[in-house]
Amino acid sequence: MKAIVQERFGPPDVLRMADIAPPEVGAGQVLVRVRAAAVNPYDWHMLRGDPYVARLMGGVGLTRPKSRVAGIDAAGEVTAVGAGVDGLRVGDEVLGFCTGAFAEYARTTADRLVPKPAGLTFEEAAAVPMAAVTALRGIRTVGRVAAGQRVLVNGAGGGVGTFAVQIAAALDAEVTGVCSTRNVDLVRSLGAAHVVDHTREDFTDRGERYDVILDNVGNRPPGRLRWALTPHGILVANGGGSPGRLFGAVGAILRLVAIDAVVRQRLRPILPAVPDGPVHQDLLAVAALVAAGRLTPVVDRTYPLADTAAGVRHVEGGHARGKTVITVSATTGSGSPGSP
């Protein structure tokens, strides 16, 4: 099969297309023919092997990438199921977390997949898993947003932000989105009652107070963000794209926890939507919102599999509008590789 592989840590240029053997499916595992895969900040962190503390924690790999094939978000068709897998059959269209998603086939487990809503293309479906689950956790699980609350989403035009605005609006909150000029109309169309163009004003200077702030950008210190919170408000920090080669998001989370211990407001990080964590219930929840018409993926750009490096470079630049997706042309023919 065709796959995007990396043999060492480095910039997107280290990615290359290669012909490799497809994964074999064992007990409890599922093989997915990947039709589309999304790019996340998670992917370029894995690509560069940063922050360095993550290497010591075992999630990235110490001297070389832990996973040779990049990518994690996928949408496609089930082509093989291992012993003990219930609820999935060959031919089912699914979306979810598949390590090695930048390839024609990827292996995962049933608890990391959910049925693809019928109204979505594969490209739209691939945009859902990590970004939508992170947004759901930020708004509903950590932020505990309720109807009538005032919610601000910083970075409302990005992958997590576009989902967060819609989820908060679906909970009947009054949503303010902070974004660049080119995304103002988009963010308003997603359900934001108010939009702040960050190129023209600083939302922390406006004198407005919010019950919940979801910060996807990290471009304001916690002290400034607290100024925009109500006395008992919640600051939810999404450190997925946090810079810093040494500590990255880990350092930001530790600072947040230290401040939280001495203030009345609550400062909370989002539990990352990582591939080895519990995600099934959250995937079901976001898929249900999509099926109900309350959540629509925003796809910024698509790239063919051969141009995956360009897609990763676009996301790493920090200016993606919604999600960036890799379109994968899977092989066809009789039988499926990896069948048990």
Side-chain angles (χ1 to χ4, degrees):
M1 70 173 185
K2 300 291 185 185
I4 300 299
V5 301
Q6 63 171 122
E7 308 293 350
R8 60 185 177 86
F9 293 124
D13 293 342
V14 305
L15 295 174
R16 64 181 181 88
M17 178 92 82
D19 286 304
I20 65 172
E24 295 184 357
V25 176
Q29 296 179 330
V30 180
L31 188 69
V32 176
R33 173 179 288 158
V34 180
R35 296 299 191 183
V39 182
N40 296 285
Y42 176 90
D43 298 312
W44 58 260
H45 278 300
M46 296 300 101
L47 178 64
R48 292 186 178 271
D50 71 36
Y52 291 138
V53 69
R55 300 192 194 187
L56 299 176
M57 295 167 64
V60 178
L62 187 58
T63 60
R64 64 179 57 191
K66 186 175 181 180
S67 176
R68 186 183 179 211
V69 183
I72 190 66
D73 278 358
E77 301 150 346
V78 173
T79 60
V81 295
V85 172
D86 295 320
L88 288 175
R89 298 179 299 176
V90 171
D92 286 350
E93 295 184 347
V94 294
L95 63 86
F97 293 86
C98 300
T99 300
F102 297 157
E104 291 180 326
Y105 292 89
R107 179 178 57 199
T108 188
T109 54
D111 60 346
R112 286 161 175 77
L113 297 172
V114 296
K116 179 180 78 68
L120 294 186
T121 66
F122 283 114
E123 287 77 12
E124 291 170 331
V128 171
M130 184 168 285
V133 167
T134 301
L136 182 77
R137 291 177 176 180
I139 294 296
R140 191 184 71 175
T141 307
V142 181
R144 299 182 181 181
V145 170
Q149 286 191 314
R150 304 189 71 208
V151 176
L152 181 136
V153 178
N154 189 23
V160 173
T162 51
F163 284 116
V165 168
Q166 295 177 79
I167 292 170
L171 293 171
D172 294 322
E174 181 183 335
V175 184
T176 296
V178 181
C179 60
S180 64
T181 305
R182 74 186 184 108
N183 290 329
V184 167
D185 291 339
L186 167 67
V187 171
R188 186 173 287 114
S189 74
L190 296 175
H194 316 283
V195 182
V196 178
D197 181 347
H198 72 76
T199 68
R200 299 185 178 184
E201 60 178 321
D202 184 336
F203 71 89
T204 63
D205 288 333
R206 302 176 76 232
E208 302 286 346
R209 298 290 182 267
Y210 302 93
D211 300 293
V212 179
I213 293 176
L214 172 59
D215 182 23
N216 296 307
V217 184
N219 60 349
R220 297 288 184 276
R224 294 291 297 174
L225 295 172
R226 287 184 54 230
W227 182 250
L229 279 174
T230 60
H232 297 282
I234 304 175
L235 168 61
V236 184
N238 170 27
S242 296
R245 299 298 301 278
L246 185 59
F247 292 106
V250 176
I253 289 171
L254 292 176
R255 288 192 296 273
L256 205 68
V257 170
I259 297 171
D260 177 71
V262 296
V263 300
R264 286 187 300 169
Q265 296 152 320
R266 285 164 288 173
L267 282 63
R268 301 283 192 269
I270 301 175
L271 179 65
V274 294
D276 56 351
V279 295
H280 194 245
Q281 291 303 314
D282 289 335
L283 279 173
L284 287 172
V286 295
L289 285 170
V290 171
R294 307 299 300 271
L295 198 60
T296 301
V298 176
V299 177
D300 172 34
R301 299 184 185 182
T302 60
Y303 294 83
L305 184 63
D307 292 339
T308 296
V312 174
R313 194 177 297 113
H314 176 62
V315 172
E316 189 176 14
H319 303 295
R321 172 187 171 99
K323 295 293 296 179
T324 297
V325 174
I326 306 301
T327 299
V328 182
S329 297
T331 56
T332 59
S334 59
S336 299
S339 299

mmCIF file of all heavy atoms in Angstrom, residues 55-97:
data_model
loop_
_atom_site.group_PDB
_atom_site.id
_atom_site.type_symbol
_atom_site.label_atom_id
_atom_site.label_comp_id
_atom_site.label_asym_id
_atom_site.label_seq_id
_atom_site.Cartn_x
_atom_site.Cartn_y
_atom_site.Cartn_z
ATOM 1 N N ARG A 55 9.114 12.977 24.627
ATOM 2 C CA ARG A 55 9.944 11.820 24.279
ATOM 3 C C ARG A 55 10.263 11.009 25.532
ATOM 4 O O ARG A 55 10.255 9.776 25.502
ATOM 5 C CB ARG A 55 11.243 12.277 23.617
ATOM 6 C CG ARG A 55 11.050 13.077 22.334
ATOM 7 C CD ARG A 55 12.379 13.214 21.605
ATOM 8 N NE ARG A 55 12.326 14.220 20.553
ATOM 9 C CZ ARG A 55 13.313 14.442 19.691
ATOM 10 N NH1 ARG A 55 14.429 13.725 19.783
ATOM 11 N NH2 ARG A 55 13.211 15.384 18.767
ATOM 12 N N LEU A 56 10.548 11.709 26.624
ATOM 13 C CA LEU A 56 10.872 11.018 27.870
ATOM 14 C C LEU A 56 9.651 10.306 28.449
ATOM 15 O O LEU A 56 9.782 9.301 29.142
ATOM 16 C CB LEU A 56 11.416 12.017 28.892
ATOM 17 C CG LEU A 56 12.708 12.744 28.495
ATOM 18 C CD1 LEU A 56 13.079 13.772 29.555
ATOM 19 C CD2 LEU A 56 13.849 11.760 28.284
ATOM 20 N N MET A 57 8.463 10.819 28.120
ATOM 21 C CA MET A 57 7.230 10.214 28.619
ATOM 22 C C MET A 57 6.791 9.027 27.773
ATOM 23 O O MET A 57 5.821 8.340 28.111
ATOM 24 C CB MET A 57 6.120 11.275 28.667
ATOM 25 C CG MET A 57 6.394 12.390 29.667
ATOM 26 S SD MET A 57 5.296 13.816 29.472
ATOM 27 C CE MET A 57 3.705 13.118 29.858
ATOM 28 N N GLY A 58 7.460 8.801 26.654
ATOM 29 C CA GLY A 58 7.193 7.613 25.851
ATOM 30 C C GLY A 58 6.132 7.755 24.786
ATOM 31 O O GLY A 58 5.856 6.798 24.066
ATOM 32 N N GLY A 59 5.516 8.931 24.640
ATOM 33 C CA GLY A 59 4.434 9.065 23.685
ATOM 34 C C GLY A 59 4.870 9.331 22.265
ATOM 35 O O GLY A 59 4.091 9.141 21.326
ATOM 36 N N VAL A 60 6.106 9.771 22.076
ATOM 37 C CA VAL A 60 6.572 10.178 20.755
ATOM 38 C C VAL A 60 7.624 9.231 20.211
ATOM 39 O O VAL A 60 7.648 8.917 19.018
ATOM 40 C CB VAL A 60 7.142 11.624 20.823
ATOM 41 C CG1 VAL A 60 7.671 12.055 19.462
ATOM 42 C CG2 VAL A 60 6.077 12.588 21.308
ATOM 43 N N GLY A 61 8.480 8.741 21.076
ATOM 44 C CA GLY A 61 9.666 8.004 20.665
ATOM 45 C C GLY A 61 10.877 8.785 21.153
ATOM 46 O O GLY A 61 10.865 10.013 21.115
ATOM 47 N N LEU A 62 11.907 8.110 21.591
ATOM 48 C CA LEU A 62 13.038 8.804 22.192
ATOM 49 C C LEU A 62 13.990 9.385 21.161
ATOM 50 O O LEU A 62 14.255 10.590 21.148
ATOM 51 C CB LEU A 62 13.803 7.855 23.125
ATOM 52 C CG LEU A 62 14.912 8.495 23.965
ATOM 53 C CD1 LEU A 62 14.353 9.612 24.840
ATOM 54 C CD2 LEU A 62 15.598 7.436 24.825
ATOM 55 N N THR A 63 14.502 8.575 20.252
ATOM 56 C CA THR A 63 15.463 9.054 19.253
ATOM 57 C C THR A 63 14.912 9.005 17.842
ATOM 58 O O THR A 63 15.475 9.615 16.938
ATOM 59 C CB THR A 63 16.760 8.229 19.308
ATOM 60 O OG1 THR A 63 16.455 6.850 19.038
ATOM 61 C CG2 THR A 63 17.408 8.362 20.678
ATOM 62 N N ARG A 64 13.811 8.281 17.653
ATOM 63 C CA ARG A 64 13.167 8.241 16.350
ATOM 64 C C ARG A 64 11.664 8.070 16.559
ATOM 65 O O ARG A 64 11.225 7.676 17.644
ATOM 66 C CB ARG A 64 13.723 7.102 15.491
ATOM 67 C CG ARG A 64 13.478 5.711 16.026
ATOM 68 C CD ARG A 64 14.042 4.655 15.086
ATOM 69 N NE ARG A 64 15.462 4.851 14.857
ATOM 70 C CZ ARG A 64 16.148 4.196 13.920
ATOM 71 N NH1 ARG A 64 15.528 3.320 13.139
ATOM 72 N NH2 ARG A 64 17.444 4.412 13.780
ATOM 73 N N PRO A 65 10.845 8.364 15.548
ATOM 74 C CA PRO A 65 9.389 8.320 15.735
ATOM 75 C C PRO A 65 8.889 6.951 16.191
ATOM 76 O O PRO A 65 9.331 5.919 15.694
ATOM 77 C CB PRO A 65 8.859 8.657 14.338
ATOM 78 C CG PRO A 65 9.950 9.421 13.682
ATOM 79 C CD PRO A 65 11.221 8.840 14.202
ATOM 80 N N LYS A 66 7.983 6.968 17.150
ATOM 81 C CA LYS A 66 7.391 5.732 17.658
ATOM 82 C C LYS A 66 6.546 5.065 16.585
ATOM 83 O O LYS A 66 6.515 3.838 16.471
ATOM 84 C CB LYS A 66 6.542 6.051 18.893
ATOM 85 C CG LYS A 66 5.977 4.842 19.602
ATOM 86 C CD LYS A 66 5.250 5.273 20.868
ATOM 87 C CE LYS A 66 4.698 4.068 21.616
ATOM 88 N NZ LYS A 66 3.987 4.489 22.856
ATOM 89 N N SER A 67 5.852 5.880 15.797
ATOM 90 C CA SER A 67 5.040 5.362 14.703
ATOM 91 C C SER A 67 5.680 5.785 13.382
ATOM 92 O O SER A 67 5.882 6.973 13.141
ATOM 93 C CB SER A 67 3.607 5.901 14.787
ATOM 94 O OG SER A 67 2.845 5.466 13.679
ATOM 95 N N ARG A 68 6.007 4.825 12.539
ATOM 96 C CA ARG A 68 6.659 5.138 11.268
ATOM 97 C C ARG A 68 5.710 5.842 10.307
ATOM 98 O O ARG A 68 6.120 6.665 9.502
ATOM 99 C CB ARG A 68 7.176 3.842 10.625
ATOM 100 C CG ARG A 68 8.001 4.072 9.365
ATOM 101 C CD ARG A 68 8.403 2.760 8.747
ATOM 102 N NE ARG A 68 9.176 2.975 7.539
ATOM 103 C CZ ARG A 68 9.185 2.160 6.492
ATOM 104 N NH1 ARG A 68 8.430 1.061 6.522
ATOM 105 N NH2 ARG A 68 9.910 2.422 5.432
ATOM 106 N N VAL A 69 4.427 5.500 10.354
ATOM 107 C CA VAL A 69 3.428 6.118 9.481
ATOM 108 C C VAL A 69 2.689 7.188 10.258
ATOM 109 O O VAL A 69 2.192 6.945 11.358
ATOM 110 C CB VAL A 69 2.437 5.076 8.933
ATOM 111 C CG1 VAL A 69 1.448 5.736 7.979
ATOM 112 C CG2 VAL A 69 3.180 3.950 8.225
ATOM 113 N N ALA A 70 2.639 8.383 9.708
ATOM 114 C CA ALA A 70 2.037 9.531 10.396
ATOM 115 C C ALA A 70 0.515 9.522 10.264
ATOM 116 O O ALA A 70 -0.065 8.763 9.497
ATOM 117 C CB ALA A 70 2.621 10.822 9.825
ATOM 118 N N GLY A 71 -0.120 10.436 11.014
ATOM 119 C CA GLY A 71 -1.563 10.628 10.912
ATOM 120 C C GLY A 71 -2.332 9.899 11.990
ATOM 121 O O GLY A 71 -1.907 8.844 12.481
ATOM 122 N N ILE A 72 -3.494 10.447 12.374
ATOM 123 C CA ILE A 72 -4.317 9.843 13.415
ATOM 124 C C ILE A 72 -5.811 9.920 13.119
ATOM 125 O O ILE A 72 -6.564 9.016 13.444
ATOM 126 C CB ILE A 72 -4.003 10.478 14.800
ATOM 127 C CG1 ILE A 72 -4.668 9.687 15.919
ATOM 128 C CG2 ILE A 72 -4.416 11.944 14.850
ATOM 129 C CD1 ILE A 72 -4.134 8.301 16.089
ATOM 130 N N ASP A 73 -6.294 10.998 12.485
ATOM 131 C CA ASP A 73 -7.724 11.145 12.164
ATOM 132 C C ASP A 73 -8.025 10.513 10.818
ATOM 133 O O ASP A 73 -7.360 10.823 9.826
ATOM 134 C CB ASP A 73 -8.096 12.630 12.063
ATOM 135 C CG ASP A 73 -8.363 13.268 13.411
ATOM 136 O OD1 ASP A 73 -8.292 12.564 14.430
ATOM 137 O OD2 ASP A 73 -8.638 14.482 13.437
ATOM 138 N N ALA A 74 -9.049 9.661 10.749
ATOM 139 C CA ALA A 74 -9.353 8.999 9.486
ATOM 140 C C ALA A 74 -10.846 8.789 9.315
ATOM 141 O O ALA A 74 -11.612 8.716 10.276
ATOM 142 C CB ALA A 74 -8.637 7.651 9.406
ATOM 143 N N ALA A 75 -11.234 8.673 8.047
ATOM 144 C CA ALA A 75 -12.582 8.234 7.689
ATOM 145 C C ALA A 75 -12.438 7.278 6.515
ATOM 146 O O ALA A 75 -11.609 7.490 5.631
ATOM 147 C CB ALA A 75 -13.465 9.422 7.299
ATOM 148 N N GLY A 76 -13.226 6.216 6.529
ATOM 149 C CA GLY A 76 -13.113 5.238 5.453
ATOM 150 C C GLY A 76 -14.059 4.079 5.656
ATOM 151 O O GLY A 76 -15.121 4.223 6.284
ATOM 152 N N GLU A 77 -13.661 2.910 5.155
ATOM 153 C CA GLU A 77 -14.511 1.725 5.189
ATOM 154 C C GLU A 77 -13.794 0.581 5.901
ATOM 155 O O GLU A 77 -12.598 0.365 5.702
ATOM 156 C CB GLU A 77 -14.833 1.290 3.758
ATOM 157 C CG GLU A 77 -15.551 2.357 2.952
ATOM 158 C CD GLU A 77 -15.238 2.261 1.464
ATOM 159 O OE1 GLU A 77 -14.271 1.560 1.080
ATOM 160 O OE2 GLU A 77 -15.966 2.911 0.700
ATOM 161 N N VAL A 78 -14.537 -0.135 6.706
ATOM 162 C CA VAL A 78 -13.992 -1.317 7.377
ATOM 163 C C VAL A 78 -13.760 -2.406 6.331
ATOM 164 O O VAL A 78 -14.671 -2.748 5.558
ATOM 165 C CB VAL A 78 -14.953 -1.824 8.468
ATOM 166 C CG1 VAL A 78 -14.458 -3.141 9.050
ATOM 167 C CG2 VAL A 78 -15.098 -0.781 9.571
ATOM 168 N N THR A 79 -12.540 -2.949 6.301
ATOM 169 C CA THR A 79 -12.237 -4.018 5.348
ATOM 170 C C THR A 79 -11.911 -5.336 6.020
ATOM 171 O O THR A 79 -11.888 -6.377 5.357
ATOM 172 C CB THR A 79 -11.051 -3.623 4.436
ATOM 173 O OG1 THR A 79 -9.894 -3.381 5.237
ATOM 174 C CG2 THR A 79 -11.379 -2.370 3.630
ATOM 175 N N ALA A 80 -11.645 -5.326 7.305
ATOM 176 C CA ALA A 80 -11.392 -6.566 8.038
ATOM 177 C C ALA A 80 -11.601 -6.324 9.519
ATOM 178 O O ALA A 80 -11.336 -5.228 10.021
ATOM 179 C CB ALA A 80 -9.968 -7.066 7.788
ATOM 180 N N VAL A 81 -12.114 -7.341 10.228
ATOM 181 C CA VAL A 81 -12.289 -7.259 11.672
ATOM 182 C C VAL A 81 -11.675 -8.499 12.307
ATOM 183 O O VAL A 81 -11.782 -9.611 11.772
ATOM 184 C CB VAL A 81 -13.774 -7.131 12.076
ATOM 185 C CG1 VAL A 81 -14.355 -5.829 11.573
ATOM 186 C CG2 VAL A 81 -14.585 -8.310 11.559
ATOM 187 N N GLY A 82 -11.025 -8.308 13.434
ATOM 188 C CA GLY A 82 -10.414 -9.417 14.143
ATOM 189 C C GLY A 82 -11.380 -10.111 15.081
ATOM 190 O O GLY A 82 -12.517 -9.653 15.293
ATOM 191 N N ALA A 83 -10.936 -11.188 15.642
ATOM 192 C CA ALA A 83 -11.766 -11.943 16.587
ATOM 193 C C ALA A 83 -12.131 -11.068 17.784
ATOM 194 O O ALA A 83 -11.325 -10.278 18.263
ATOM 195 C CB ALA A 83 -10.998 -13.177 17.067
ATOM 196 N N GLY A 84 -13.385 -11.194 18.220
ATOM 197 C CA GLY A 84 -13.831 -10.472 19.405
ATOM 198 C C GLY A 84 -14.355 -9.080 19.140
ATOM 199 O O GLY A 84 -14.750 -8.382 20.079
ATOM 200 N N VAL A 85 -14.379 -8.651 17.885
ATOM 201 C CA VAL A 85 -14.897 -7.320 17.555
ATOM 202 C C VAL A 85 -16.401 -7.409 17.330
ATOM 203 O O VAL A 85 -16.872 -8.170 16.475
ATOM 204 C CB VAL A 85 -14.209 -6.748 16.294
ATOM 205 C CG1 VAL A 85 -14.899 -5.449 15.854
ATOM 206 C CG2 VAL A 85 -12.742 -6.507 16.564
ATOM 207 N N ASP A 86 -17.158 -6.630 18.077
ATOM 208 C CA ASP A 86 -18.606 -6.583 17.932
ATOM 209 C C ASP A 86 -19.034 -5.216 17.425
ATOM 210 O O ASP A 86 -18.411 -4.207 17.725
ATOM 211 C CB ASP A 86 -19.297 -6.848 19.280
ATOM 212 C CG ASP A 86 -19.039 -8.256 19.800
ATOM 213 O OD1 ASP A 86 -19.047 -9.191 18.986
ATOM 214 O OD2 ASP A 86 -18.820 -8.393 21.026
ATOM 215 N N GLY A 87 -20.112 -5.189 16.671
ATOM 216 C CA GLY A 87 -20.709 -3.918 16.260
ATOM 217 C C GLY A 87 -20.158 -3.331 14.976
ATOM 218 O O GLY A 87 -20.652 -2.301 14.507
ATOM 219 N N LEU A 88 -19.139 -3.930 14.395
ATOM 220 C CA LEU A 88 -18.588 -3.452 13.127
ATOM 221 C C LEU A 88 -18.495 -4.605 12.154
ATOM 222 O O LEU A 88 -18.109 -5.723 12.524
ATOM 223 C CB LEU A 88 -17.203 -2.832 13.336
ATOM 224 C CG LEU A 88 -17.141 -1.479 14.040
ATOM 225 C CD1 LEU A 88 -15.686 -1.077 14.267
ATOM 226 C CD2 LEU A 88 -17.863 -0.397 13.235
ATOM 227 N N ARG A 89 -18.831 -4.317 10.889
ATOM 228 C CA ARG A 89 -18.751 -5.332 9.846
ATOM 229 C C ARG A 89 -17.992 -4.783 8.651
ATOM 230 O O ARG A 89 -17.904 -3.566 8.459
ATOM 231 C CB ARG A 89 -20.154 -5.754 9.408
ATOM 232 C CG ARG A 89 -20.994 -6.401 10.511
ATOM 233 C CD ARG A 89 -22.371 -6.771 9.991
ATOM 234 N NE ARG A 89 -23.103 -5.586 9.520
ATOM 235 C CZ ARG A 89 -24.302 -5.630 8.947
ATOM 236 N NH1 ARG A 89 -24.893 -6.805 8.753
ATOM 237 N NH2 ARG A 89 -24.898 -4.526 8.566
ATOM 238 N N VAL A 90 -17.468 -5.680 7.848
ATOM 239 C CA VAL A 90 -16.798 -5.280 6.610
ATOM 240 C C VAL A 90 -17.775 -4.481 5.753
ATOM 241 O O VAL A 90 -18.931 -4.878 5.567
ATOM 242 C CB VAL A 90 -16.287 -6.517 5.851
ATOM 243 C CG1 VAL A 90 -15.783 -6.125 4.460
ATOM 244 C CG2 VAL A 90 -15.176 -7.202 6.636
ATOM 245 N N GLY A 91 -17.317 -3.345 5.257
ATOM 246 C CA GLY A 91 -18.158 -2.476 4.439
ATOM 247 C C GLY A 91 -18.721 -1.286 5.184
ATOM 248 O O GLY A 91 -19.189 -0.323 4.559
ATOM 249 N N ASP A 92 -18.699 -1.311 6.526
ATOM 250 C CA ASP A 92 -19.209 -0.178 7.300
ATOM 251 C C ASP A 92 -18.358 1.065 7.042
ATOM 252 O O ASP A 92 -17.126 0.994 6.999
ATOM 253 C CB ASP A 92 -19.172 -0.482 8.796
ATOM 254 C CG ASP A 92 -20.258 -1.449 9.237
ATOM 255 O OD1 ASP A 92 -21.154 -1.744 8.425
ATOM 256 O OD2 ASP A 92 -20.201 -1.910 10.395
ATOM 257 N N GLU A 93 -19.022 2.211 6.884
ATOM 258 C CA GLU A 93 -18.320 3.486 6.745
ATOM 259 C C GLU A 93 -18.157 4.095 8.133
ATOM 260 O O GLU A 93 -19.134 4.216 8.882
ATOM 261 C CB GLU A 93 -19.098 4.436 5.824
ATOM 262 C CG GLU A 93 -19.182 3.917 4.397
ATOM 263 C CD GLU A 93 -19.874 4.896 3.455
ATOM 264 O OE1 GLU A 93 -20.509 5.853 3.947
ATOM 265 O OE2 GLU A 93 -19.776 4.698 2.232
ATOM 266 N N VAL A 94 -16.936 4.473 8.467
ATOM 267 C CA VAL A 94 -16.620 4.888 9.832
ATOM 268 C C VAL A 94 -15.731 6.123 9.841
ATOM 269 O O VAL A 94 -15.131 6.498 8.825
ATOM 270 C CB VAL A 94 -15.907 3.756 10.597
ATOM 271 C CG1 VAL A 94 -16.832 2.570 10.813
ATOM 272 C CG2 VAL A 94 -14.638 3.314 9.849
ATOM 273 N N LEU A 95 -15.637 6.745 11.014
ATOM 274 C CA LEU A 95 -14.655 7.779 11.278
ATOM 275 C C LEU A 95 -14.080 7.531 12.661
ATOM 276 O O LEU A 95 -14.719 6.893 13.497
ATOM 277 C CB LEU A 95 -15.270 9.184 11.182
ATOM 278 C CG LEU A 95 -16.380 9.570 12.182
ATOM 279 C CD1 LEU A 95 -15.805 10.116 13.487
ATOM 280 C CD2 LEU A 95 -17.290 10.617 11.558
ATOM 281 N N GLY A 96 -12.876 8.019 12.891
ATOM 282 C CA GLY A 96 -12.293 7.839 14.213
ATOM 283 C C GLY A 96 -10.795 7.983 14.228
ATOM 284 O O GLY A 96 -10.192 8.577 13.330
ATOM 285 N N PHE A 97 -10.194 7.430 15.279
ATOM 286 C CA PHE A 97 -8.754 7.533 15.502
ATOM 287 C C PHE A 97 -8.058 6.277 14.972
ATOM 288 O O PHE A 97 -8.321 5.174 15.457
ATOM 289 C CB PHE A 97 -8.467 7.693 16.993
ATOM 290 C CG PHE A 97 -8.954 8.994 17.567
ATOM 291 C CD1 PHE A 97 -10.257 9.131 18.012
ATOM 292 C CD2 PHE A 97 -8.105 10.085 17.664
ATOM 293 C CE1 PHE A 97 -10.714 10.332 18.544
ATOM 294 C CE2 PHE A 97 -8.547 11.286 18.193
ATOM 295 C CZ PHE A 97 -9.845 11.411 18.632
#
